[in-house]
PDB file of all heavy atoms in Angstrom:
ATOM      1  N   ALA A  42       0.835  -1.207   0.000  1.00  0.00           N
ATOM      2  CA  ALA A  42       0.000   0.000   0.000  1.00  0.00           C
ATOM      3  C   ALA A  42       0.866   1.252   0.000  1.00  0.00           C
ATOM      4  O   ALA A  42       0.597   2.216   0.707  1.00  0.00           O
ATOM      5  CB  ALA A  42      -0.951  -0.011   1.192  1.00  0.00           C
ATOM      6  N   GLY A  43       1.923   1.213  -0.788  1.00  0.00           N
ATOM      7  CA  GLY A  43       2.777   2.392  -0.907  1.00  0.00           C
ATOM      8  C   GLY A  43       2.317   3.237  -2.073  1.00  0.00           C
ATOM      9  O   GLY A  43       1.200   3.126  -2.556  1.00  0.00           O
ATOM     10  N   GLY A  44       3.187   4.064  -2.536  1.00  0.00           N
ATOM     11  CA  GLY A  44       2.866   4.915  -3.679  1.00  0.00           C
ATOM     12  C   GLY A  44       2.857   6.373  -3.293  1.00  0.00           C
ATOM     13  O   GLY A  44       2.780   6.720  -2.108  1.00  0.00           O
ATOM     14  N   ILE A  45       2.913   7.208  -4.305  1.00  0.00           N
ATOM     15  CA  ILE A  45       3.027   8.642  -4.040  1.00  0.00           C
ATOM     16  C   ILE A  45       1.798   9.432  -4.476  1.00  0.00           C
ATOM     17  O   ILE A  45       1.798  10.650  -4.472  1.00  0.00           O
ATOM     18  CB  ILE A  45       4.293   9.237  -4.707  1.00  0.00           C
ATOM     19  CG1 ILE A  45       4.291   8.940  -6.205  1.00  0.00           C
ATOM     20  CG2 ILE A  45       5.544   8.705  -4.034  1.00  0.00           C
ATOM     21  CD1 ILE A  45       5.420   9.608  -6.960  1.00  0.00           C
ATOM     22  N   GLY A  46       0.733   8.741  -4.839  1.00  0.00           N
ATOM     23  CA  GLY A  46      -0.530   9.416  -5.094  1.00  0.00           C
ATOM     24  C   GLY A  46      -0.644  10.153  -6.406  1.00  0.00           C
ATOM     25  O   GLY A  46      -1.411  11.102  -6.504  1.00  0.00           O
ATOM     26  N   THR A  47       0.107   9.742  -7.425  1.00  0.00           N
ATOM     27  CA  THR A  47       0.059  10.465  -8.695  1.00  0.00           C
ATOM     28  C   THR A  47      -0.747   9.768  -9.779  1.00  0.00           C
ATOM     29  O   THR A  47      -1.181  10.411 -10.730  1.00  0.00           O
ATOM     30  CB  THR A  47       1.486  10.701  -9.230  1.00  0.00           C
ATOM     31  OG1 THR A  47       2.132   9.441  -9.393  1.00  0.00           O
ATOM     32  CG2 THR A  47       2.282  11.578  -8.286  1.00  0.00           C
ATOM     33  N   ARG A  48      -0.986   8.486  -9.646  1.00  0.00           N
ATOM     34  CA  ARG A  48      -1.610   7.736 -10.738  1.00  0.00           C
ATOM     35  C   ARG A  48      -3.041   8.179 -11.029  1.00  0.00           C
ATOM     36  O   ARG A  48      -3.462   8.193 -12.171  1.00  0.00           O
ATOM     37  CB  ARG A  48      -1.582   6.238 -10.438  1.00  0.00           C
ATOM     38  CG  ARG A  48      -2.011   5.424 -11.658  1.00  0.00           C
ATOM     39  CD  ARG A  48      -1.662   3.965 -11.539  1.00  0.00           C
ATOM     40  NE  ARG A  48      -0.224   3.814 -11.434  1.00  0.00           N
ATOM     41  CZ  ARG A  48       0.369   2.782 -10.862  1.00  0.00           C
ATOM     42  NH1 ARG A  48      -0.335   1.830 -10.330  1.00  0.00           N
ATOM     43  NH2 ARG A  48       1.675   2.709 -10.801  1.00  0.00           N
ATOM     44  N   PHE A  49      -3.805   8.528 -10.020  1.00  0.00           N
ATOM     45  CA  PHE A  49      -5.187   8.954 -10.225  1.00  0.00           C
ATOM     46  C   PHE A  49      -5.384  10.435  -9.903  1.00  0.00           C
ATOM     47  O   PHE A  49      -6.475  10.856  -9.556  1.00  0.00           O
ATOM     48  CB  PHE A  49      -6.135   8.093  -9.375  1.00  0.00           C
ATOM     49  CG  PHE A  49      -6.408   6.756  -9.969  1.00  0.00           C
ATOM     50  CD1 PHE A  49      -5.566   5.693  -9.738  1.00  0.00           C
ATOM     51  CD2 PHE A  49      -7.506   6.552 -10.777  1.00  0.00           C
ATOM     52  CE1 PHE A  49      -5.796   4.452 -10.289  1.00  0.00           C
ATOM     53  CE2 PHE A  49      -7.762   5.311 -11.335  1.00  0.00           C
ATOM     54  CZ  PHE A  49      -6.907   4.263 -11.091  1.00  0.00           C
ATOM     55  N   TRP A  50      -4.323  11.226 -10.032  1.00  0.00           N
ATOM     56  CA  TRP A  50      -4.441  12.647  -9.786  1.00  0.00           C
ATOM     57  C   TRP A  50      -5.460  13.221 -10.763  1.00  0.00           C
ATOM     58  O   TRP A  50      -5.493  12.810 -11.926  1.00  0.00           O
ATOM     59  CB  TRP A  50      -3.068  13.317  -9.964  1.00  0.00           C
ATOM     60  CG  TRP A  50      -3.112  14.770  -9.629  1.00  0.00           C
ATOM     61  CD1 TRP A  50      -2.902  15.308  -8.399  1.00  0.00           C
ATOM     62  CD2 TRP A  50      -3.386  15.849 -10.505  1.00  0.00           C
ATOM     63  NE1 TRP A  50      -3.041  16.673  -8.464  1.00  0.00           N
ATOM     64  CE2 TRP A  50      -3.343  17.025  -9.755  1.00  0.00           C
ATOM     65  CE3 TRP A  50      -3.695  15.945 -11.861  1.00  0.00           C
ATOM     66  CZ2 TRP A  50      -3.589  18.275 -10.311  1.00  0.00           C
ATOM     67  CZ3 TRP A  50      -3.939  17.187 -12.409  1.00  0.00           C
ATOM     68  CH2 TRP A  50      -3.877  18.337 -11.641  1.00  0.00           C
ATOM     69  N   PRO A  51      -6.346  14.116 -10.370  1.00  0.00           N
ATOM     70  CA  PRO A  51      -6.372  14.832  -9.090  1.00  0.00           C
ATOM     71  C   PRO A  51      -7.176  14.138  -7.993  1.00  0.00           C
ATOM     72  O   PRO A  51      -7.248  14.656  -6.889  1.00  0.00           O
ATOM     73  CB  PRO A  51      -7.016  16.162  -9.458  1.00  0.00           C
ATOM     74  CG  PRO A  51      -7.992  15.816 -10.525  1.00  0.00           C
ATOM     75  CD  PRO A  51      -7.328  14.694 -11.312  1.00  0.00           C
ATOM     76  N   LEU A  52      -7.788  12.964  -8.293  1.00  0.00           N
ATOM     77  CA  LEU A  52      -8.516  12.262  -7.236  1.00  0.00           C
ATOM     78  C   LEU A  52      -7.588  11.816  -6.121  1.00  0.00           C
ATOM     79  O   LEU A  52      -7.910  11.938  -4.943  1.00  0.00           O
ATOM     80  CB  LEU A  52      -9.243  11.041  -7.803  1.00  0.00           C
ATOM     81  CG  LEU A  52     -10.425  11.307  -8.718  1.00  0.00           C
ATOM     82  CD1 LEU A  52     -10.954   9.991  -9.273  1.00  0.00           C
ATOM     83  CD2 LEU A  52     -11.521  12.047  -7.976  1.00  0.00           C
ATOM     84  N   SER A  53      -6.443  11.267  -6.479  1.00  0.00           N
ATOM     85  CA  SER A  53      -5.491  10.832  -5.462  1.00  0.00           C
ATOM     86  C   SER A  53      -4.361  11.841  -5.364  1.00  0.00           C
ATOM     87  O   SER A  53      -3.982  12.474  -6.341  1.00  0.00           O
ATOM     88  CB  SER A  53      -4.947   9.443  -5.781  1.00  0.00           C
ATOM     89  OG  SER A  53      -4.154   9.463  -6.936  1.00  0.00           O
ATOM     90  N   THR A  54      -3.864  11.971  -4.144  1.00  0.00           N
ATOM     91  CA  THR A  54      -2.746  12.878  -3.875  1.00  0.00           C
ATOM     92  C   THR A  54      -1.782  12.170  -2.943  1.00  0.00           C
ATOM     93  O   THR A  54      -2.048  11.057  -2.494  1.00  0.00           O
ATOM     94  CB  THR A  54      -3.240  14.177  -3.191  1.00  0.00           C
ATOM     95  OG1 THR A  54      -3.779  13.832  -1.900  1.00  0.00           O
ATOM     96  CG2 THR A  54      -4.296  14.894  -4.023  1.00  0.00           C
ATOM     97  N   ALA A  55      -0.702  12.830  -2.611  1.00  0.00           N
ATOM     98  CA  ALA A  55       0.282  12.231  -1.701  1.00  0.00           C
ATOM     99  C   ALA A  55      -0.331  11.905  -0.340  1.00  0.00           C
ATOM    100  O   ALA A  55       0.067  10.953   0.316  1.00  0.00           O
ATOM    101  CB  ALA A  55       1.474  13.162  -1.539  1.00  0.00           C
ATOM    102  N   HIS A  56      -1.325  12.686   0.092  1.00  0.00           N
ATOM    103  CA  HIS A  56      -1.944  12.449   1.406  1.00  0.00           C
ATOM    104  C   HIS A  56      -3.277  11.714   1.307  1.00  0.00           C
ATOM    105  O   HIS A  56      -3.869  11.359   2.312  1.00  0.00           O
ATOM    106  CB  HIS A  56      -2.123  13.774   2.147  1.00  0.00           C
ATOM    107  CG  HIS A  56      -0.809  14.419   2.457  1.00  0.00           C
ATOM    108  ND1 HIS A  56       0.049  13.933   3.418  1.00  0.00           N
ATOM    109  CD2 HIS A  56      -0.181  15.475   1.905  1.00  0.00           C
ATOM    110  CE1 HIS A  56       1.146  14.667   3.445  1.00  0.00           C
ATOM    111  NE2 HIS A  56       1.039  15.614   2.536  1.00  0.00           N
ATOM    112  N   ARG A  57      -3.744  11.499   0.097  1.00  0.00           N
ATOM    113  CA  ARG A  57      -4.976  10.723  -0.135  1.00  0.00           C
ATOM    114  C   ARG A  57      -4.733   9.812  -1.331  1.00  0.00           C
ATOM    115  O   ARG A  57      -5.210  10.054  -2.431  1.00  0.00           O
ATOM    116  CB  ARG A  57      -6.136  11.679  -0.406  1.00  0.00           C
ATOM    117  CG  ARG A  57      -7.472  10.994  -0.479  1.00  0.00           C
ATOM    118  CD  ARG A  57      -8.602  12.040  -0.568  1.00  0.00           C
ATOM    119  NE  ARG A  57      -9.763  11.537  -1.238  1.00  0.00           N
ATOM    120  CZ  ARG A  57     -10.643  10.694  -0.719  1.00  0.00           C
ATOM    121  NH1 ARG A  57     -10.462  10.249   0.490  1.00  0.00           N
ATOM    122  NH2 ARG A  57     -11.686  10.300  -1.402  1.00  0.00           N
ATOM    123  N   PRO A  58      -3.950   8.740  -1.108  1.00  0.00           N
ATOM    124  CA  PRO A  58      -3.585   7.844  -2.212  1.00  0.00           C
ATOM    125  C   PRO A  58      -4.778   7.036  -2.702  1.00  0.00           C
ATOM    126  O   PRO A  58      -5.806   6.935  -2.025  1.00  0.00           O
ATOM    127  CB  PRO A  58      -2.526   6.947  -1.579  1.00  0.00           C
ATOM    128  CG  PRO A  58      -2.896   6.908  -0.137  1.00  0.00           C
ATOM    129  CD  PRO A  58      -3.422   8.283   0.169  1.00  0.00           C
ATOM    130  N   LYS A  59      -4.617   6.448  -3.867  1.00  0.00           N
ATOM    131  CA  LYS A  59      -5.736   5.710  -4.469  1.00  0.00           C
ATOM    132  C   LYS A  59      -6.229   4.571  -3.590  1.00  0.00           C
ATOM    133  O   LYS A  59      -7.394   4.201  -3.660  1.00  0.00           O
ATOM    134  CB  LYS A  59      -5.364   5.201  -5.855  1.00  0.00           C
ATOM    135  CG  LYS A  59      -4.297   4.157  -5.850  1.00  0.00           C
ATOM    136  CD  LYS A  59      -3.959   3.716  -7.251  1.00  0.00           C
ATOM    137  CE  LYS A  59      -2.837   2.720  -7.154  1.00  0.00           C
ATOM    138  NZ  LYS A  59      -1.989   2.658  -8.256  1.00  0.00           N
ATOM    139  N   GLN A  60      -5.391   4.027  -2.720  1.00  0.00           N
ATOM    140  CA  GLN A  60      -5.802   2.914  -1.863  1.00  0.00           C
ATOM    141  C   GLN A  60      -6.956   3.290  -0.940  1.00  0.00           C
ATOM    142  O   GLN A  60      -7.694   2.434  -0.486  1.00  0.00           O
ATOM    143  CB  GLN A  60      -4.636   2.411  -1.003  1.00  0.00           C
ATOM    144  CG  GLN A  60      -3.471   1.906  -1.792  1.00  0.00           C
ATOM    145  CD  GLN A  60      -2.413   2.971  -1.999  1.00  0.00           C
ATOM    146  OE1 GLN A  60      -2.719   4.112  -2.278  1.00  0.00           O
ATOM    147  NE2 GLN A  60      -1.160   2.589  -1.871  1.00  0.00           N
ATOM    148  N   VAL A  61      -7.102   4.577  -0.624  1.00  0.00           N
ATOM    149  CA  VAL A  61      -8.191   4.999   0.266  1.00  0.00           C
ATOM    150  C   VAL A  61      -9.356   5.623  -0.503  1.00  0.00           C
ATOM    151  O   VAL A  61     -10.315   6.086   0.102  1.00  0.00           O
ATOM    152  CB  VAL A  61      -7.702   5.948   1.383  1.00  0.00           C
ATOM    153  CG1 VAL A  61      -6.690   5.255   2.277  1.00  0.00           C
ATOM    154  CG2 VAL A  61      -7.159   7.229   0.822  1.00  0.00           C
ATOM    155  N   LEU A  62      -9.281   5.605  -1.819  1.00  0.00           N
ATOM    156  CA  LEU A  62     -10.388   6.110  -2.624  1.00  0.00           C
ATOM    157  C   LEU A  62     -11.437   5.018  -2.803  1.00  0.00           C
ATOM    158  O   LEU A  62     -11.115   3.848  -2.910  1.00  0.00           O
ATOM    159  CB  LEU A  62      -9.892   6.567  -3.998  1.00  0.00           C
ATOM    160  CG  LEU A  62      -8.901   7.717  -4.020  1.00  0.00           C
ATOM    161  CD1 LEU A  62      -8.481   8.011  -5.454  1.00  0.00           C
ATOM    162  CD2 LEU A  62      -9.467   8.967  -3.361  1.00  0.00           C
ATOM    163  N   ALA A  63     -12.692   5.425  -2.845  1.00  0.00           N
ATOM    164  CA  ALA A  63     -13.804   4.504  -3.093  1.00  0.00           C
ATOM    165  C   ALA A  63     -14.122   4.565  -4.584  1.00  0.00           C
ATOM    166  O   ALA A  63     -15.033   5.259  -5.006  1.00  0.00           O
ATOM    167  CB  ALA A  63     -15.011   4.887  -2.246  1.00  0.00           C
ATOM    168  N   LEU A  64     -13.349   3.841  -5.379  1.00  0.00           N
ATOM    169  CA  LEU A  64     -13.497   3.901  -6.831  1.00  0.00           C
ATOM    170  C   LEU A  64     -14.478   2.877  -7.380  1.00  0.00           C
ATOM    171  O   LEU A  64     -15.007   3.042  -8.480  1.00  0.00           O
ATOM    172  CB  LEU A  64     -12.138   3.714  -7.511  1.00  0.00           C
ATOM    173  CG  LEU A  64     -11.084   4.775  -7.207  1.00  0.00           C
ATOM    174  CD1 LEU A  64      -9.772   4.410  -7.871  1.00  0.00           C
ATOM    175  CD2 LEU A  64     -11.557   6.149  -7.662  1.00  0.00           C
ATOM    176  N   VAL A  65     -14.722   1.795  -6.647  1.00  0.00           N
ATOM    177  CA  VAL A  65     -15.574   0.714  -7.130  1.00  0.00           C
ATOM    178  C   VAL A  65     -16.937   0.730  -6.444  1.00  0.00           C
ATOM    179  O   VAL A  65     -17.959   0.499  -7.068  1.00  0.00           O
ATOM    180  CB  VAL A  65     -14.891  -0.653  -6.925  1.00  0.00           C
ATOM    181  CG1 VAL A  65     -15.776  -1.797  -7.378  1.00  0.00           C
ATOM    182  CG2 VAL A  65     -13.551  -0.679  -7.650  1.00  0.00           C
ATOM    183  N   ASN A  66     -16.953   1.000  -5.159  1.00  0.00           N
ATOM    184  CA  ASN A  66     -18.189   1.058  -4.371  1.00  0.00           C
ATOM    185  C   ASN A  66     -17.988   2.093  -3.272  1.00  0.00           C
ATOM    186  O   ASN A  66     -17.137   2.968  -3.412  1.00  0.00           O
ATOM    187  CB  ASN A  66     -18.551  -0.336  -3.832  1.00  0.00           C
ATOM    188  CG  ASN A  66     -17.395  -0.969  -3.087  1.00  0.00           C
ATOM    189  OD1 ASN A  66     -16.741  -0.319  -2.276  1.00  0.00           O
ATOM    190  ND2 ASN A  66     -17.120  -2.235  -3.355  1.00  0.00           N
ATOM    191  N   GLU A  67     -18.707   1.970  -2.181  1.00  0.00           N
ATOM    192  CA  GLU A  67     -18.617   2.982  -1.111  1.00  0.00           C
ATOM    193  C   GLU A  67     -17.414   2.779  -0.187  1.00  0.00           C
ATOM    194  O   GLU A  67     -17.142   3.625   0.649  1.00  0.00           O
ATOM    195  CB  GLU A  67     -19.917   3.002  -0.306  1.00  0.00           C
ATOM    196  CG  GLU A  67     -20.142   1.793   0.590  1.00  0.00           C
ATOM    197  CD  GLU A  67     -20.624   0.520  -0.118  1.00  0.00           C
ATOM    198  OE1 GLU A  67     -20.965   0.584  -1.320  1.00  0.00           O
ATOM    199  OE2 GLU A  67     -20.643  -0.542   0.526  1.00  0.00           O
ATOM    200  N   ARG A  68     -16.692   1.682  -0.334  1.00  0.00           N
ATOM    201  CA  ARG A  68     -15.542   1.400   0.535  1.00  0.00           C
ATOM    202  C   ARG A  68     -14.232   1.770  -0.158  1.00  0.00           C
ATOM    203  O   ARG A  68     -14.105   1.637  -1.377  1.00  0.00           O
ATOM    204  CB  ARG A  68     -15.498  -0.086   0.904  1.00  0.00           C
ATOM    205  CG  ARG A  68     -16.576  -0.531   1.860  1.00  0.00           C
ATOM    206  CD  ARG A  68     -16.437  -2.009   2.201  1.00  0.00           C
ATOM    207  NE  ARG A  68     -16.435  -2.857   1.014  1.00  0.00           N
ATOM    208  CZ  ARG A  68     -17.528  -3.307   0.410  1.00  0.00           C
ATOM    209  NH1 ARG A  68     -18.714  -2.999   0.877  1.00  0.00           N
ATOM    210  NH2 ARG A  68     -17.448  -4.069  -0.658  1.00  0.00           N
ATOM    211  N   PRO A  69     -13.233   2.175   0.625  1.00  0.00           N
ATOM    212  CA  PRO A  69     -11.906   2.412   0.045  1.00  0.00           C
ATOM    213  C   PRO A  69     -11.366   1.116  -0.565  1.00  0.00           C
ATOM    214  O   PRO A  69     -11.698   0.013  -0.108  1.00  0.00           O
ATOM    215  CB  PRO A  69     -11.058   2.832   1.241  1.00  0.00           C
ATOM    216  CG  PRO A  69     -12.021   3.300   2.269  1.00  0.00           C
ATOM    217  CD  PRO A  69     -13.273   2.491   2.055  1.00  0.00           C
ATOM    218  N   LEU A  70     -10.524   1.235  -1.566  1.00  0.00           N
ATOM    219  CA  LEU A  70      -9.957   0.065  -2.232  1.00  0.00           C
ATOM    220  C   LEU A  70      -9.272  -0.873  -1.246  1.00  0.00           C
ATOM    221  O   LEU A  70      -9.424  -2.098  -1.333  1.00  0.00           O
ATOM    222  CB  LEU A  70      -8.982   0.499  -3.327  1.00  0.00           C
ATOM    223  CG  LEU A  70      -9.599   1.229  -4.524  1.00  0.00           C
ATOM    224  CD1 LEU A  70      -8.487   1.713  -5.466  1.00  0.00           C
ATOM    225  CD2 LEU A  70     -10.575   0.346  -5.267  1.00  0.00           C
ATOM    226  N   ILE A  71      -8.518  -0.323  -0.297  1.00  0.00           N
ATOM    227  CA  ILE A  71      -7.814  -1.195   0.656  1.00  0.00           C
ATOM    228  C   ILE A  71      -8.805  -1.947   1.547  1.00  0.00           C
ATOM    229  O   ILE A  71      -8.570  -3.101   1.904  1.00  0.00           O
ATOM    230  CB  ILE A  71      -6.760  -0.440   1.487  1.00  0.00           C
ATOM    231  CG1 ILE A  71      -5.890  -1.462   2.226  1.00  0.00           C
ATOM    232  CG2 ILE A  71      -7.395   0.573   2.417  1.00  0.00           C
ATOM    233  CD1 ILE A  71      -4.601  -0.940   2.766  1.00  0.00           C
ATOM    234  N   ALA A  72      -9.925  -1.325   1.883  1.00  0.00           N
ATOM    235  CA  ALA A  72     -10.937  -2.013   2.691  1.00  0.00           C
ATOM    236  C   ALA A  72     -11.541  -3.173   1.899  1.00  0.00           C
ATOM    237  O   ALA A  72     -11.799  -4.244   2.455  1.00  0.00           O
ATOM    238  CB  ALA A  72     -12.016  -1.029   3.138  1.00  0.00           C
ATOM    239  N   ASP A  73     -11.758  -2.965   0.606  1.00  0.00           N
ATOM    240  CA  ASP A  73     -12.246  -4.065  -0.239  1.00  0.00           C
ATOM    241  C   ASP A  73     -11.236  -5.208  -0.276  1.00  0.00           C
ATOM    242  O   ASP A  73     -11.613  -6.378  -0.232  1.00  0.00           O
ATOM    243  CB  ASP A  73     -12.492  -3.572  -1.670  1.00  0.00           C
ATOM    244  CG  ASP A  73     -13.856  -2.934  -1.851  1.00  0.00           C
ATOM    245  OD1 ASP A  73     -14.716  -3.066  -0.954  1.00  0.00           O
ATOM    246  OD2 ASP A  73     -14.060  -2.303  -2.900  1.00  0.00           O
ATOM    247  N   THR A  74      -9.967  -4.874  -0.372  1.00  0.00           N
ATOM    248  CA  THR A  74      -8.920  -5.900  -0.416  1.00  0.00           C
ATOM    249  C   THR A  74      -8.918  -6.730   0.857  1.00  0.00           C
ATOM    250  O   THR A  74      -8.900  -7.960   0.808  1.00  0.00           O
ATOM    251  CB  THR A  74      -7.542  -5.250  -0.648  1.00  0.00           C
ATOM    252  OG1 THR A  74      -7.568  -4.554  -1.890  1.00  0.00           O
ATOM    253  CG2 THR A  74      -6.433  -6.278  -0.657  1.00  0.00           C
TER     254      THR A  74
END
């Protein structure tokens, strides 16, 4: 769960990486994992 938050910019940032975004449903990606 590393990364620098640039792949889904502007949705993801260094302090809000894609792992905590709810891109598929209402849960963050890491919670789904």
Side-chain angles (χ1 to χ4, degrees):
I45 56 174
T47 58
R48 190 165 298 155
F49 281 86
W50 184 89
L52 290 176
S53 67
T54 64
H56 296 288
R57 187 173 153 75
K59 67 181 177 209
Q60 300 95 318
V61 298
L62 297 178
L64 298 176
V65 178
N66 53 45
E67 71 282 351
R68 289 182 304 275
L70 293 175
I71 192 164
D73 276 348
T74 300

